[in-house]
Amino acid sequence: MNTVMTADNPQQELQATLLFVDDEPNILSALRRLFRPLGYRIFIAESGAQGLEIFDSEAIDLVISDMRMPVMDGAQFLEQVRLKSPDTVRILLTGYADISSTIDAINKGQIYRYIAKPWEDNDICLTVRHALEQKILEREKARLEELTHKQNEELRDLNANLEEKVKARTEEVRQTMGFLEVAHERLKKSFLTSIRVFSNLMELREGEMSGHSRRVADLAHKLAKRMGMSDTEVQDVMVAALLHDIGQIGLPDKLLHKPFNTLAGEERAAVMKHPVVGQTALMALEQLHGAARLIRSHHERFDGQGFPDALSGLAIPLGARVLTVANEYDAAQQGYLMSKRLNAEDALTFIKEGRGKRYDPQVVDAFLAMLGGGEPVPYEREIALHTGDLKPDMVLTRDLMTRDGLLLLARDYILDDTLIDQLKNYERTDGRPMVVHVKVKG
């Protein structure tokens, strides 16, 4: 099958339809014998009128017409073809004696080419093939021009309306974000309200000593903010303060009202389990994992003599160190720590005496300044440094991660010369500058 390749896909094949018009049957037979093996669809007509009738029922891609025909010669026929089917390729067969008629056909029929008789088979086949290829290219050109025109119109419309569309979309996004923010705030308030309600239910067992968790939460919240903790960390401290005694729910009533320093061995062992029990009770709620970690550590001591994990110094989470001071300041006044209740002044003295032993000195200083029990002291703030600016005893304020998400050092880690050298070596190996967040006085 002889086929023509389309312009946008050279592998796509298109079968062409040819029409031969001549009043001499032998010429028509010769043309049909020449082109039929090439796979074209072929129609023949012995006159111009018969050829025009074929155009009424068939889509003809290319027509070859003899010049000398009775009634309607080739020039007249091809002129009618041009009017009836302008996309059809028109080729004229002519003799050397028909120059003037050929010129007339060129002018009126706007023929693609004329071929002199007798023709060379290879030449006429190539002429037909090239003509059909050009037809396909012109058709594809017209399609692309139409597509380009359509896309340009769409682009002009888009550009004309883009600003309005952007404004409208921006307003939709702003409204949606506003709704989400309102919904988030409502959820946050509902969450905190639920925590407070649950805390109040827990305190129903405490009788006249109820209100301890609310007071601790208020003190811890203020102290955490004074320490420069983030909003998320402050919220974890407050939630942990409200629920810090949740692990005592299963303890007998007699132990709840008995000062810790008067407990017997087995009683003390039972009470010392409550931080772990409290953490475990909250682990099913993902939003409370941060608070649960602080609840576990709120009975740790800065000197390492606390429970349940005997953590010391900055290994104790900062939120837990804050919670410990707030908790024991109120507990001392309620008689939870020792056999007698202390007034507010004596409770504050008790906190001062525990500085560096039971409590983080920095937290105690901030607490005293907050309550007016001491001179205001500058609390530490966070700065970002390159490894070349790090000094021993600086404390990390954030987890130090690799760019692949691996933990190098955890927050609250105290740097020394060896660690600083290791960080510098890692930075050289990684090929990227490292930024380390540490605490400084400010």
Side-chain angles (χ1 to χ4, degrees), residues 191-204 213 242-243 245-247 249 281-282 285 288:
F191 171 73
L192 293 177
T193 300
S194 299
I195 296 297
R196 290 183 182 278
V197 169
F198 186 55
S199 176
N200 290 340
L201 291 174
M202 289 167 46
E203 292 189 338
L204 290 177
S213 293
L242 288 169
L243 301 178
D245 284 335
I246 188 175
I249 287 180
L282 299 179
L285 300 173
L288 298 181

PDB file of all heavy atoms in Angstrom, residues 191-204 213 242-243 245-247 249 281-282 285 288:
ATOM      1  N   PHE A 191     -10.240  21.546  73.757  1.00  0.00           N
ATOM      2  CA  PHE A 191      -9.259  20.588  74.275  1.00  0.00           C
ATOM      3  C   PHE A 191      -8.794  20.996  75.675  1.00  0.00           C
ATOM      4  O   PHE A 191      -8.798  20.184  76.618  1.00  0.00           O
ATOM      5  CB  PHE A 191      -8.081  20.520  73.306  1.00  0.00           C
ATOM      6  CG  PHE A 191      -6.904  19.750  73.814  1.00  0.00           C
ATOM      7  CD1 PHE A 191      -6.945  18.371  73.905  1.00  0.00           C
ATOM      8  CD2 PHE A 191      -5.732  20.404  74.195  1.00  0.00           C
ATOM      9  CE1 PHE A 191      -5.851  17.664  74.365  1.00  0.00           C
ATOM     10  CE2 PHE A 191      -4.644  19.708  74.662  1.00  0.00           C
ATOM     11  CZ  PHE A 191      -4.706  18.324  74.743  1.00  0.00           C
ATOM     12  N   LEU A 192      -8.420  22.271  75.823  1.00  0.00           N
ATOM     13  CA  LEU A 192      -7.941  22.734  77.125  1.00  0.00           C
ATOM     14  C   LEU A 192      -9.054  22.725  78.168  1.00  0.00           C
ATOM     15  O   LEU A 192      -8.817  22.406  79.341  1.00  0.00           O
ATOM     16  CB  LEU A 192      -7.357  24.146  76.991  1.00  0.00           C
ATOM     17  CG  LEU A 192      -6.075  24.251  76.160  1.00  0.00           C
ATOM     18  CD1 LEU A 192      -5.640  25.706  76.027  1.00  0.00           C
ATOM     19  CD2 LEU A 192      -4.956  23.421  76.788  1.00  0.00           C
ATOM     20  N   THR A 193     -10.272  23.052  77.711  1.00  0.00           N
ATOM     21  CA  THR A 193     -11.409  22.995  78.639  1.00  0.00           C
ATOM     22  C   THR A 193     -11.636  21.572  79.117  1.00  0.00           C
ATOM     23  O   THR A 193     -11.909  21.335  80.310  1.00  0.00           O
ATOM     24  CB  THR A 193     -12.680  23.536  77.953  1.00  0.00           C
ATOM     25  OG1 THR A 193     -12.457  24.891  77.563  1.00  0.00           O
ATOM     26  CG2 THR A 193     -13.869  23.472  78.894  1.00  0.00           C
ATOM     27  N   SER A 194     -11.522  20.607  78.197  1.00  0.00           N
ATOM     28  CA  SER A 194     -11.690  19.203  78.574  1.00  0.00           C
ATOM     29  C   SER A 194     -10.638  18.775  79.594  1.00  0.00           C
ATOM     30  O   SER A 194     -10.938  18.047  80.553  1.00  0.00           O
ATOM     31  CB  SER A 194     -11.605  18.308  77.326  1.00  0.00           C
ATOM     32  OG  SER A 194     -12.626  18.636  76.403  1.00  0.00           O
ATOM     33  N   ILE A 195      -9.401  19.241  79.381  1.00  0.00           N
ATOM     34  CA  ILE A 195      -8.330  18.919  80.325  1.00  0.00           C
ATOM     35  C   ILE A 195      -8.640  19.500  81.703  1.00  0.00           C
ATOM     36  O   ILE A 195      -8.475  18.844  82.748  1.00  0.00           O
ATOM     37  CB  ILE A 195      -6.977  19.457  79.816  1.00  0.00           C
ATOM     38  CG1 ILE A 195      -6.578  18.774  78.509  1.00  0.00           C
ATOM     39  CG2 ILE A 195      -5.902  19.263  80.867  1.00  0.00           C
ATOM     40  CD1 ILE A 195      -6.354  17.289  78.610  1.00  0.00           C
ATOM     41  N   ARG A 196      -9.116  20.747  81.721  1.00  0.00           N
ATOM     42  CA  ARG A 196      -9.435  21.389  82.998  1.00  0.00           C
ATOM     43  C   ARG A 196     -10.590  20.666  83.701  1.00  0.00           C
ATOM     44  O   ARG A 196     -10.562  20.477  84.925  1.00  0.00           O
ATOM     45  CB  ARG A 196      -9.802  22.847  82.775  1.00  0.00           C
ATOM     46  CG  ARG A 196      -8.610  23.711  82.356  1.00  0.00           C
ATOM     47  CD  ARG A 196      -9.016  25.169  82.228  1.00  0.00           C
ATOM     48  NE  ARG A 196      -7.899  25.990  81.790  1.00  0.00           N
ATOM     49  CZ  ARG A 196      -6.954  26.467  82.597  1.00  0.00           C
ATOM     50  NH1 ARG A 196      -7.006  26.204  83.896  1.00  0.00           N
ATOM     51  NH2 ARG A 196      -5.966  27.212  82.122  1.00  0.00           N
ATOM     52  N   VAL A 197     -11.603  20.276  82.916  1.00  0.00           N
ATOM     53  CA  VAL A 197     -12.725  19.543  83.509  1.00  0.00           C
ATOM     54  C   VAL A 197     -12.243  18.225  84.095  1.00  0.00           C
ATOM     55  O   VAL A 197     -12.617  17.837  85.219  1.00  0.00           O
ATOM     56  CB  VAL A 197     -13.824  19.294  82.450  1.00  0.00           C
ATOM     57  CG1 VAL A 197     -14.868  18.313  82.972  1.00  0.00           C
ATOM     58  CG2 VAL A 197     -14.482  20.609  82.050  1.00  0.00           C
ATOM     59  N   PHE A 198     -11.399  17.528  83.364  1.00  0.00           N
ATOM     60  CA  PHE A 198     -10.877  16.259  83.849  1.00  0.00           C
ATOM     61  C   PHE A 198     -10.037  16.465  85.104  1.00  0.00           C
ATOM     62  O   PHE A 198     -10.117  15.689  86.071  1.00  0.00           O
ATOM     63  CB  PHE A 198     -10.046  15.592  82.754  1.00  0.00           C
ATOM     64  CG  PHE A 198      -9.580  14.215  83.098  1.00  0.00           C
ATOM     65  CD1 PHE A 198     -10.486  13.229  83.470  1.00  0.00           C
ATOM     66  CD2 PHE A 198      -8.229  13.895  83.072  1.00  0.00           C
ATOM     67  CE1 PHE A 198     -10.052  11.955  83.791  1.00  0.00           C
ATOM     68  CE2 PHE A 198      -7.788  12.622  83.395  1.00  0.00           C
ATOM     69  CZ  PHE A 198      -8.714  11.649  83.756  1.00  0.00           C
ATOM     70  N   SER A 199      -9.254  17.548  85.123  1.00  0.00           N
ATOM     71  CA  SER A 199      -8.437  17.854  86.294  1.00  0.00           C
ATOM     72  C   SER A 199      -9.328  18.124  87.510  1.00  0.00           C
ATOM     73  O   SER A 199      -9.034  17.663  88.627  1.00  0.00           O
ATOM     74  CB  SER A 199      -7.544  19.064  86.007  1.00  0.00           C
ATOM     75  OG  SER A 199      -6.818  19.446  87.151  1.00  0.00           O
ATOM     76  N   ASN A 200     -10.420  18.856  87.284  1.00  0.00           N
ATOM     77  CA  ASN A 200     -11.345  19.129  88.390  1.00  0.00           C
ATOM     78  C   ASN A 200     -11.974  17.850  88.926  1.00  0.00           C
ATOM     79  O   ASN A 200     -12.161  17.688  90.143  1.00  0.00           O
ATOM     80  CB  ASN A 200     -12.444  20.089  87.921  1.00  0.00           C
ATOM     81  CG  ASN A 200     -11.912  21.488  87.675  1.00  0.00           C
ATOM     82  OD1 ASN A 200     -10.850  21.853  88.181  1.00  0.00           O
ATOM     83  ND2 ASN A 200     -12.637  22.264  86.891  1.00  0.00           N
ATOM     84  N   LEU A 201     -12.324  16.931  88.022  1.00  0.00           N
ATOM     85  CA  LEU A 201     -12.890  15.658  88.453  1.00  0.00           C
ATOM     86  C   LEU A 201     -11.897  14.884  89.309  1.00  0.00           C
ATOM     87  O   LEU A 201     -12.266  14.243  90.305  1.00  0.00           O
ATOM     88  CB  LEU A 201     -13.305  14.819  87.234  1.00  0.00           C
ATOM     89  CG  LEU A 201     -14.499  15.344  86.426  1.00  0.00           C
ATOM     90  CD1 LEU A 201     -14.703  14.497  85.175  1.00  0.00           C
ATOM     91  CD2 LEU A 201     -15.769  15.308  87.287  1.00  0.00           C
ATOM     92  N   MET A 202     -10.619  14.933  88.919  1.00  0.00           N
ATOM     93  CA  MET A 202      -9.587  14.244  89.704  1.00  0.00           C
ATOM     94  C   MET A 202      -9.502  14.824  91.113  1.00  0.00           C
ATOM     95  O   MET A 202      -9.285  14.097  92.083  1.00  0.00           O
ATOM     96  CB  MET A 202      -8.217  14.383  89.012  1.00  0.00           C
ATOM     97  CG  MET A 202      -8.070  13.581  87.728  1.00  0.00           C
ATOM     98  SD  MET A 202      -6.600  14.105  86.821  1.00  0.00           S
ATOM     99  CE  MET A 202      -5.377  14.153  88.121  1.00  0.00           C
ATOM    100  N   GLU A 203      -9.674  16.139  91.234  1.00  0.00           N
ATOM    101  CA  GLU A 203      -9.491  16.788  92.521  1.00  0.00           C
ATOM    102  C   GLU A 203     -10.696  16.635  93.451  1.00  0.00           C
ATOM    103  O   GLU A 203     -10.650  17.084  94.595  1.00  0.00           O
ATOM    104  CB  GLU A 203      -9.169  18.272  92.319  1.00  0.00           C
ATOM    105  CG  GLU A 203      -7.794  18.499  91.689  1.00  0.00           C
ATOM    106  CD  GLU A 203      -7.407  19.961  91.698  1.00  0.00           C
ATOM    107  OE1 GLU A 203      -8.306  20.809  91.789  1.00  0.00           O
ATOM    108  OE2 GLU A 203      -6.197  20.254  91.622  1.00  0.00           O
ATOM    109  N   LEU A 204     -11.773  16.029  92.945  1.00  0.00           N
ATOM    110  CA  LEU A 204     -12.923  15.810  93.819  1.00  0.00           C
ATOM    111  C   LEU A 204     -12.556  14.945  95.015  1.00  0.00           C
ATOM    112  O   LEU A 204     -13.194  15.013  96.072  1.00  0.00           O
ATOM    113  CB  LEU A 204     -14.068  15.147  93.026  1.00  0.00           C
ATOM    114  CG  LEU A 204     -14.761  16.038  91.982  1.00  0.00           C
ATOM    115  CD1 LEU A 204     -15.819  15.232  91.238  1.00  0.00           C
ATOM    116  CD2 LEU A 204     -15.398  17.255  92.655  1.00  0.00           C
ATOM    117  N   SER A 213      -3.946  21.451  91.527  1.00  0.00           N
ATOM    118  CA  SER A 213      -3.516  21.352  90.122  1.00  0.00           C
ATOM    119  C   SER A 213      -3.758  22.649  89.371  1.00  0.00           C
ATOM    120  O   SER A 213      -2.931  23.068  88.551  1.00  0.00           O
ATOM    121  CB  SER A 213      -4.253  20.196  89.423  1.00  0.00           C
ATOM    122  OG  SER A 213      -3.858  18.958  89.973  1.00  0.00           O
ATOM    123  N   LEU A 242      -1.825  20.512  85.022  1.00  0.00           N
ATOM    124  CA  LEU A 242      -3.211  20.166  85.345  1.00  0.00           C
ATOM    125  C   LEU A 242      -3.372  18.671  85.624  1.00  0.00           C
ATOM    126  O   LEU A 242      -4.202  18.265  86.443  1.00  0.00           O
ATOM    127  CB  LEU A 242      -4.129  20.583  84.193  1.00  0.00           C
ATOM    128  CG  LEU A 242      -4.375  22.088  84.026  1.00  0.00           C
ATOM    129  CD1 LEU A 242      -5.072  22.362  82.706  1.00  0.00           C
ATOM    130  CD2 LEU A 242      -5.211  22.632  85.196  1.00  0.00           C
ATOM    131  N   LEU A 243      -2.560  17.849  84.937  1.00  0.00           N
ATOM    132  CA  LEU A 243      -2.731  16.390  85.036  1.00  0.00           C
ATOM    133  C   LEU A 243      -1.569  15.709  85.748  1.00  0.00           C
ATOM    134  O   LEU A 243      -1.465  14.477  85.699  1.00  0.00           O
ATOM    135  CB  LEU A 243      -2.867  15.796  83.618  1.00  0.00           C
ATOM    136  CG  LEU A 243      -4.026  16.324  82.762  1.00  0.00           C
ATOM    137  CD1 LEU A 243      -3.991  15.675  81.384  1.00  0.00           C
ATOM    138  CD2 LEU A 243      -5.368  16.060  83.448  1.00  0.00           C
ATOM    139  N   ASP A 245      -0.906  14.803  88.677  1.00  0.00           N
ATOM    140  CA  ASP A 245      -1.213  13.790  89.691  1.00  0.00           C
ATOM    141  C   ASP A 245      -2.180  12.727  89.189  1.00  0.00           C
ATOM    142  O   ASP A 245      -2.759  11.978  89.983  1.00  0.00           O
ATOM    143  CB  ASP A 245      -1.803  14.457  90.938  1.00  0.00           C
ATOM    144  CG  ASP A 245      -0.737  15.144  91.783  1.00  0.00           C
ATOM    145  OD1 ASP A 245       0.439  14.718  91.699  1.00  0.00           O
ATOM    146  OD2 ASP A 245      -1.076  16.098  92.504  1.00  0.00           O
ATOM    147  N   ILE A 246      -2.341  12.609  87.859  1.00  0.00           N
ATOM    148  CA  ILE A 246      -3.290  11.640  87.321  1.00  0.00           C
ATOM    149  C   ILE A 246      -2.911  10.213  87.696  1.00  0.00           C
ATOM    150  O   ILE A 246      -3.767   9.336  87.853  1.00  0.00           O
ATOM    151  CB  ILE A 246      -3.405  11.789  85.780  1.00  0.00           C
ATOM    152  CG1 ILE A 246      -4.544  10.916  85.252  1.00  0.00           C
ATOM    153  CG2 ILE A 246      -2.088  11.452  85.091  1.00  0.00           C
ATOM    154  CD1 ILE A 246      -4.805  11.105  83.769  1.00  0.00           C
ATOM    155  N   GLY A 247      -1.614   9.985  87.890  1.00  0.00           N
ATOM    156  CA  GLY A 247      -1.160   8.640  88.250  1.00  0.00           C
ATOM    157  C   GLY A 247      -1.549   8.232  89.657  1.00  0.00           C
ATOM    158  O   GLY A 247      -1.393   7.064  90.045  1.00  0.00           O
ATOM    159  N   ILE A 249      -4.614   8.313  90.809  1.00  0.00           N
ATOM    160  CA  ILE A 249      -6.029   7.943  90.849  1.00  0.00           C
ATOM    161  C   ILE A 249      -6.234   6.594  91.529  1.00  0.00           C
ATOM    162  O   ILE A 249      -7.191   6.382  92.286  1.00  0.00           O
ATOM    163  CB  ILE A 249      -6.622   7.922  89.420  1.00  0.00           C
ATOM    164  CG1 ILE A 249      -6.782   9.349  88.910  1.00  0.00           C
ATOM    165  CG2 ILE A 249      -7.960   7.207  89.384  1.00  0.00           C
ATOM    166  CD1 ILE A 249      -7.347   9.451  87.515  1.00  0.00           C
ATOM    167  N   ALA A 281      -0.858   6.460  81.288  1.00  0.00           N
ATOM    168  CA  ALA A 281      -2.289   6.699  81.122  1.00  0.00           C
ATOM    169  C   ALA A 281      -2.584   7.648  79.967  1.00  0.00           C
ATOM    170  O   ALA A 281      -3.677   7.603  79.383  1.00  0.00           O
ATOM    171  CB  ALA A 281      -2.877   7.259  82.415  1.00  0.00           C
ATOM    172  N   LEU A 282      -1.613   8.499  79.630  1.00  0.00           N
ATOM    173  CA  LEU A 282      -1.849   9.508  78.591  1.00  0.00           C
ATOM    174  C   LEU A 282      -1.242   9.146  77.240  1.00  0.00           C
ATOM    175  O   LEU A 282      -1.462   9.865  76.255  1.00  0.00           O
ATOM    176  CB  LEU A 282      -1.264  10.857  79.031  1.00  0.00           C
ATOM    177  CG  LEU A 282      -1.848  11.452  80.315  1.00  0.00           C
ATOM    178  CD1 LEU A 282      -1.148  12.770  80.638  1.00  0.00           C
ATOM    179  CD2 LEU A 282      -3.346  11.672  80.170  1.00  0.00           C
ATOM    180  N   LEU A 285      -3.106   9.167  73.811  1.00  0.00           N
ATOM    181  CA  LEU A 285      -3.493  10.426  73.184  1.00  0.00           C
ATOM    182  C   LEU A 285      -2.252  11.124  72.645  1.00  0.00           C
ATOM    183  O   LEU A 285      -1.413  11.612  73.405  1.00  0.00           O
ATOM    184  CB  LEU A 285      -4.197  11.332  74.215  1.00  0.00           C
ATOM    185  CG  LEU A 285      -5.477  10.750  74.831  1.00  0.00           C
ATOM    186  CD1 LEU A 285      -5.971  11.647  75.945  1.00  0.00           C
ATOM    187  CD2 LEU A 285      -6.551  10.594  73.752  1.00  0.00           C
ATOM    188  N   LEU A 288      -1.048  14.530  73.796  1.00  0.00           N
ATOM    189  CA  LEU A 288      -0.576  14.671  75.174  1.00  0.00           C
ATOM    190  C   LEU A 288       0.784  14.022  75.414  1.00  0.00           C
ATOM    191  O   LEU A 288       1.236  13.936  76.559  1.00  0.00           O
ATOM    192  CB  LEU A 288      -1.611  14.067  76.146  1.00  0.00           C
ATOM    193  CG  LEU A 288      -2.985  14.742  76.147  1.00  0.00           C
ATOM    194  CD1 LEU A 288      -3.902  14.068  77.158  1.00  0.00           C
ATOM    195  CD2 LEU A 288      -2.858  16.221  76.464  1.00  0.00           C
TER     196      LEU A 288
END
